[in-house]
Structures are given as C-alpha cells and as structure tokens.
Amino acid sequence: MTMTQSSAAPLLQVSDLAVSFRKDGQWRNVVRDMNFSVTAGETLAIVGESGSGKSVTSMAVMQLLPRVSTRITGKVLFQDRDLLALGEPEMEAVRGNRISMIFQEPMTSLNPVMTIGAQIAEAIRVHRPVSKAEARALALEMMDRVHIPAARSRYDDFPHQFSGGMRQRVMIAAALACKPDLLIADEPTTALDVTIQAQVLDLIKELQADTGMGVIFITHDMGVVAEVADRTLVMYNGDVIESGTTAQIFATPQKTYTRALLSAVPKLGTMGGTPHPLPYPVFDMQTGTMTELPLRGDTLQSDAKPLLEVTGLSKRFEVKSKILKRVVARVHAVEQVGLMLRRGETLSIVGESGCGKSTTGRLLTGLYPSDSGRILLDGRELGKIPANERARDIQMIFQDPYASLNPRLRVGEAITEPLRIHKLVPRKDEAEIAERLLERVGLQAQMADRYPHEFSGGQRQRICVARALVMKPKVIVADEAVSALDVTMKTQVINLMMDLQQEMGLGFVFISHDMAVVERISHKVAVMYLGEVVEMGPRAAIFSNPTHPYTRRLLSAVPVPDPARRGQRSAPPILELRSPLRTSDYRHPVRRYLEVSQGHFVQEPGPEWT
Amino acid sequence: MRKIFSAPSGILLLTMVLGALLAPVLPLQDPLAMDMSGRFAGPSANHWLGQDDYGRDLLSRLVYALRGAILISGSSAVLAAVIGISIGVIAGYVRGFSEMLSLRIMDVILCFPPLLLAMLAATLYGAGPQTLVPVLALVFVPSFTRVAHASVMTVRAMDYVDAVKLMGAPSRRIIFRTILPNVSGPLFVQFSFVVAMSVVLESGLSYLGLGVLPPEPSLGMMIGAARATFLTEPWLLLAPCILLSVLILVLNAFCDHLRHLLDPRRSAGS
C-alpha cells in the first residue's frame, strides 16, 4: 500500500483543462475546468458514468484525440513539461515510455497477427536502443512480473490463445515494459470476470509498489475505486463535481450525485435477513434524498405448479478437423443441468464467462436445440410447442441493448412486432398497445415514433423489456440484461423488472456474473462452472453458506465498496479458467450432489478442488 | 419520394431517365434518318447538336443511345441483383452445404474476366440486347451474392434476429422483414456500382461491335465510329464520351444519396 506523498512535487499537474469537440461545424464543450495532480506512487481514480468525460480527459493528457476536430485548452504539466505544447514526435517519446496506458478491451487492443512476446518486445524496442535478444529477455521478464504462467513457452503464442484476463496481463506487461512514471488505466477490468478483476487489480498495486509509478484509474465501478484509489475525482457531464481522498468521498460525500453513485453501487450483503428479493432504493437527483421502497409481499407462488422444469440438459458443440470434418473434440457447454422455476420466482444463474450460463439461457428459450435432457415449459415439452405459442410462454432480454433492437424499426413497431407476426390484434390498435407499454416501462408514449439509435443504453433496455412483455409471457430469460448499463440505470431497470414480476407473476431466469445484483433480485441461485451446476439453492443459503469451493472463490473476489475494508478481500490464486473443451471420446463423470440444507444442493467437488 | 429526388444527382438522373424513356414521344428527329447532304453539319435549327458522318441528328442519337444504355444496364443490373441477392441471402441464412456450393459456383464465374465472358457469349449467340442483358446479369451476379452473403452473416449474429426468432416469426419473415432491410445499405452501393459497370461494359462491347447492333445508336458504337474523323470533327467523339461519364457519375452520386436516406441513423437526427 502506498501513501500520499503530499510534500513531493506532483508527477502530473493538470490545470484548467478543457476539451471541445467539433460536430456538424459547432464546438461542443465535453470537459470543463479539470484540475488535478498525481504524485509518484499515488493512485488517483476518476469516476463517472458513460459520457461524463473521464476517458476524454485521459485521451487529452495523452494527446490521442484527433487534432483537427478537437480543441484543448489549459495546462498538462508532466515532469515540468507542458504536454499540450509538445509536438507529435516529442509526444511519441513520452507515450508508452514515460506515460503508458491500458484500455478496457484487451481483445481489440492487441494485434491479432503478432505473437504476445513480440508485442511486448516491440514496446521496449520502440523506446530503448536494445538488441532483439535483449528485448526478448526483457519481455520474458515482464511476462514473469505480470504472472503469466509458463512465460517462456507462451512467448510465441498469439492473442487468441489467451483468455481475457491473460490478455489484459499482456497489455499491462507491454505498458509497463519501459518502466513508465505514470500509468493511465482506462476501465482495465470492466470486461473481465470478478475473479480475474481481483487478480488484475492486485497486480497493478503490486507493480506500483515496486516501481513507485503514479496511476490514474478511470472507472465507473465504485467497488474498484474503494479497492485501489488513494484519491478520487468524481465527474458528471464534463465537470469535476467532487474530489478528495477516497476515504472522505466514501464516508462523507458532499454532492448529491456522488451520494447517488455510492448508494447505487450494488453491494454484497445488503440483504440482511430479508427473506425475499428487495428493490433498490430510489434516489432523487434533485433533492438528494433516498427513499427505500416499502417492503412488499413475496411474489413467489410456491404452491403453483412449476413454470419451467429442466432435467439433464446438455449441449455440446463439435470441433471438427479442417479437411475431413471428423469430430476431434467437443465443447461441453452445458452438461447435465437441472433447474426449476415457479410463478413469480427469480432464478439466477451465475458464473464466469465461458461457464455455459448464456448457452443455458438460449437452450431454455429454444434458440439452440438441446442435445439431451428435457425442458418442460408450463407442463409441456419445449420442442413440441408450436413457435407462436412458445412466444407467449417465454421471451428473452439480451445483454447488449445496442444489438438487440432492429435499427430499422421504430421502437413502437419493434415492440408490437410479435403481434404483427401472429396477427393478434388489428393494425389500428397496435400504436395504442406500444404507447401503453412504453409508459409502463417508464418511457413516454410519443417516443414510439423514434428509432433505437436516439435512445440511451438504459432506455433501449427498457424498450427491450417492453417488447418482451407484449406477448404477456410467463417466463423471461434475462441474459446479462443489466450488465452493460451504468449503475443508476442498472438499479432502475432491476426495479422495473421486480415491479413487473409483482404485477404479472413473471418467472425470471436471470443470467449474470454480478453477484451483488444477484443477491438482491433472486429467490434461487444456481452457480455454474464449466457447463455444470456446482451449487444451487435458495439465495440466502448460497450467500450465507457457500459450500462449493468455486462458489466461495466467486464470492470472495467481489470488490467491497468500502475503502476502510480494503485488503480484506483475498484474491483467488492465479489460475487459467479451465476450458470445457474435451476430447471426442471423453465420458462425463457421474456427479453426486449433497443436500447441505433444505433445497441447497452442492456438487461433490472433484479432485481438482483439493 | 420528394426527398429522394431533391438532391442534384436525383434531379439529373430523373431527367436522364425520363428523357431516355420518353424519347419516342419527344419531338426528336429520327435517329436513323440519314441525310448525305448534311454530313458533319454544325448545329442548326433542325439539328441542335449538328449531324454525324451519315448526316444523322446527333442529339437524337445521343438520347436514343442513352435510352439503350439505361435500359440494357438497368435491366441487367436488376436481374443480377434479384438472382445474386437471393442466392447470397439464402446461402448466408441457411448455411451448410448449399452455402458452400453456391459460393463456389460464384467463385467460378468470377474467374472469367467479364469482358471476355461477354465476348464469348456474343460470338456464340450473336450480338444484340437479347444476349447482352443475360450476359451482363451473369457477370454481375457473383458480386451481389458475395456482398449479400457477407452482410447477412454479420446481421444474423445480431441479438435482434434472435429476438424475432423468439417471437415465433417464420424464416421467410425474418429474411424479408428483419435481415433484408438491414443489409440494404451495402447492396445499394453494390447496385450503383453494377449499373455503372454495366454501362461501361455495354459501351465497351458496342465499341467492339459485339453489343448493340447498328444502325441502333449506342454510346460505345458512336465513340467507335467517331474515331476515324476525330481530328476534323472532335465533337462527334467528345459528345458521347461526356454523356457516358456524366451518366456514370450521376448514377454513383445518386446511389450514395439513396443509401444515406435509407439509413435511419442519418436521416432522423440533425
């Protein structure tokens, strides 16, 4: 852990920074009056929701914005030189050398046709007059430093052979290869699973302690801020609205927005003894008051017959050889999964990317045919229900609100499309139905005439909810439905889903990797790992008594949004997530499940867990 | 509709197409009537743009040549688009063996240089529009198939296609109502390109005497015929060249404009 060295001269001193973009011939101010400094060894977090200007600030410091359409004013003093006054060649000597940057998406920021080792070595050779062999040695050293297992043998691997977390390690290795004085990390863990996120955060802290570099950490995740930052800057709509030490910001936030941001952070363990799901408190941005919603009765209708009953569900994807098309291996995406959902119940499926939770969701809705197993939807076998009736039973909400609405349909038409497909209502009634649903999901009726691109992510997701509702389904599968949303939007959409459940007795299958949200919304939780359910039971049992080693690992990796409790979270050991890719003659072991308490089942952990 | 033809390219194209289609009813001279006494005559009250080497009215021949170019390349492009897009969309949507087969057939067609293929067909089946249209269509089918196939592959992976499937929509509806509108942008660009390309190819073939048969006027043939007298009568060569270039430019500009209008992301906002 590093201390704020207030006496030392700042490494980076930004004063009166303002950034404007030109769009359609007009200059639009996107960042105003930025003032901050970072000293060596210090971590400054810049937090804010999308569009707040936090990334633009870092791009301005690095001079990465297109010069023709950008106007930057103010001063950016780095080691007593004004970066804004430097020309492009001088800036190139600073970038990647004295100041490095890592980005959100490790998939797109690595060159896919260059080996991992060569990319790190290249970062060194750009700035240091070293030979190829020396660069290789230095690159290998960096790979060891960022804990890439078996660095020597993986030097010549390509990015696609690495998992997301490992790729981010490669990015960090390349960024830190020249031992920069300042690291700018722009949402470096947002695209990663919690366990991987915990490891990457620890890695950055460890390297910072070794080298004494300053770190600017750009994020929207208050949990991450609490974990890493010495000081915090809160941005809203291009303005810095609050700054101070992280402890101050968390303990006594001065501004309404900061309080909203903090209260909106899903936290683990907020449920106490509440027996059933709880909506999020509503935060009023104008008055700054937080209203807890009244407790309501449980929506679960436990006596009703199950809406969804799944037994022995399996799905394998075949990997075929290039020429002869023989099956050489199979991905066991979903293996022997059994689930049950009743009216008014929310069943969450959690796990890391690649664990088969999304595939399970697609099997449940019939988007993928299953290889074996039975899915009973309201007592009928899924495969035997005609498409038009199935649409009335089960619907889906997708993760990416930008990909799940047809860009060529007005949202009113998009919402009522199912009605047109099955000719359920006369054409003239459609508009009214669309308007009513838009109002029901918290939008305005006159928005029906607009196209999806005119809406924000949160609004689009509401439109998707409206579209899922138009057929009055009994079950909705929500596949990471709120993962791509900003925190305030996230809580609103979750509350909306809970309201609708209350009103219509919907059953939700909520697929998510966000444990804090899952704790709030679920009746039941199923934990998936490598295609199998390793633990399943009532929400309270899973969170208070996680029994399978994997569940424990998942829960312990969730960042705690409280700087006072920093360091209490233990990062799980570095472990490549194993893959469910098996040889073609692989026979799946017979698993045994133990009933820990009533309804709480745990798979007997295999030898790999001991 | 008003928006589509309000752009300069739209107005020009509309004028050209209307002029070409209405040529028979316009008060034009007979493009085939020769007048040996008026050979190479300059502009006059009767012949606004002058007369050619057989004393035929240049303006009338240009309009009729334009009519031929538009009809032939337009119909071959439409034919190529219908066939090519159908194959491409089905291949991209159905996948599997049919996809492999149809794409490989397209690759085979692409192996032949277009001009060579057209010359071969014209030699075998005789010159004239009845050969020209199917040959030009055949030459341009693969380009539509490829663009359609690639676009469908991108669009079908989008969540909104899965969403429509979950609504219980039949495949036909998914293809026509969800996928096709979303792949129309690149296809319009392709269409403009193909119309322009077939105008060029048609005039090239006519220039070689394998396209439109004399005495019917065609831009390529007029250019070919004016070669001999270029030094003394450059206007006879320049006029069809200019018209050909303007037609191709206008076609390209118009299709860009159309694509722009059809994209909801651009038309709505600002």
Side-chain angles (χ1 to χ4, degrees), chain A residues 468-543:
Chain A
L469 288 177
V470 74
M471 295 291 275
K472 302 195 177 70
K474 300 175 184 119
V475 180
I476 291 183
V477 176
D479 186 359
E480 299 275 13
V482 297
S483 305
L485 305 180
D486 280 325
V487 269
T488 45
M489 279 295 144
K490 190 182 279 191
T491 53
Q492 287 173 16
V493 173
I494 289 170
N495 281 357
L496 169 67
M497 288 172 66
M498 287 168 131
D499 283 351
L500 294 168
Q501 181 170 52
Q502 172 98 2
E503 201 176 295
M504 307 167 73
L506 288 168
F508 279 120
V509 176
F510 190 83
I511 297 168
S512 180
H513 68 273
D514 188 335
M515 298 303 277
V517 169
V518 164
E519 187 190 23
R520 197 86 186 191
I521 188 175
S522 322
H523 294 91
K524 258 190 335 199
V525 178
V527 183
M528 281 187 80
Y529 178 68
L530 294 184
E532 294 178 72
V533 173
V534 294
E535 185 160 0
M536 178 163 57
R539 186 255 313 152
I542 297 281
F543 282 86

Side-chain angles (χ1 to χ4, degrees), chain A residues 94-108:
Chain A
V94 173
R95 257 185 238 134
N97 187 15
R98 308 298 2 124
I99 309 180
S100 278
M101 201 162 174
I102 47 179
F103 299 93
Q104 173 169 358
E105 191 44 79
M107 184 88 91
T108 51

Side-chain angles (χ1 to χ4, degrees), chain A residues 13-14 32 41 76 78 106 122 175 182 202 221 248-249 261 265 273 310 331 341 350 377 401 407 414 455 474 494 604:
Chain A
Q13 172 84 49
V14 173
R32 285 169 295 271
V76 179
F78 175 69
E122 189 196 30
L182 180 66
D202 282 359
D221 187 338
Q248 271 171 3
I249 298 266
L261 210 55
V265 180
V310 178
V331 178
L341 183 74
V350 297
L377 187 56
F455 294 88
K474 300 175 184 119
I494 289 170
E604 220 170 37

Side-chain angles (χ1 to χ4, degrees), chain A residues 228-250:
Chain A
V228 300
D230 301 311
R231 286 190 302 123
T232 301
L233 211 65
V234 184
M235 289 191 75
Y236 179 69
N237 208 4
D239 292 304
V240 176
I241 57 162
E242 190 161 2
S243 67
T245 66
T246 305
Q248 271 171 3
I249 298 266
F250 275 76

